[in-house]
Amino acid sequence: DTRYRAYHNLDFQLMEGSIDREYQVLCHGFWSRVACCLDLPVFALKGAVTRRSQVATPGARPARSDVKVLSHLSFGSRALSFAHISIQTGRRHQIRAQAAHVGHPVVSD
């Protein structure tokens, strides 16, 4: 089955680290334009629907995200930052948890 092969091919590429995981994210606040690395462990309770992923709690696993702010925007009285985020690990809700932890939660989160 083609779908079965495609799934395992993708799974292999993820394990091998040959896929770049890059995202464009709109965040609250004025995030510095200086590129930074968020090296903050993330904990995600498997199967949890109501509990969000958390940073730096017991059981958290290593998680690294590289952040480069592309531009700043304003929406009424709100400051927003548009960032390019590349994740080196793939924790559940990694970007959301780390961005919120450093004071720049994802818009509409």
Side-chain angles (χ1 to χ4, degrees):
D1 185 344
T2 304
R3 289 176 292 173
Y4 184 77
R5 282 195 309 267
Y7 168 79
H8 285 287
N9 187 359
L10 178 61
D11 191 43
F12 177 75
Q13 290 176 54
L14 285 169
M15 287 187 325
E16 188 180 56
S18 62
I19 294 177
D20 293 330
R21 291 175 276 184
E22 299 180 351
Y23 303 86
Q24 309 300 316
V25 182
L26 187 61
C27 299
H28 289 282
F30 186 84
W31 205 335
S32 171
R33 290 194 72 143
V34 176
C36 68
C37 173
L38 301 179
D39 200 1
L40 302 166
V42 173
F43 175 78
L45 188 61
K46 291 188 180 192
V49 176
T50 57
R51 185 173 173 193
R52 293 192 164 238
S53 297
Q54 299 173 338
V55 171
T57 59
R61 296 172 60 197
R64 179 183 168 145
S65 303
D66 295 315
V67 180
K68 180 180 179 185
V69 173
L70 303 174
S71 64
H72 293 109
L73 312 155
S74 62
F75 183 72
S77 62
R78 295 183 179 176
L80 302 172
S81 296
F82 184 62
H84 173 88
I85 301 179
S86 175
I87 62 172
Q88 308 307 316
T89 52
R91 307 291 174 234
R92 178 178 291 146
H93 303 299
Q94 175 176 330
I95 292 172
R96 290 176 168 168
Q98 289 180 331
H101 186 77
V102 297
H104 300 288
V106 174
V107 171
S108 295
D109 205 16

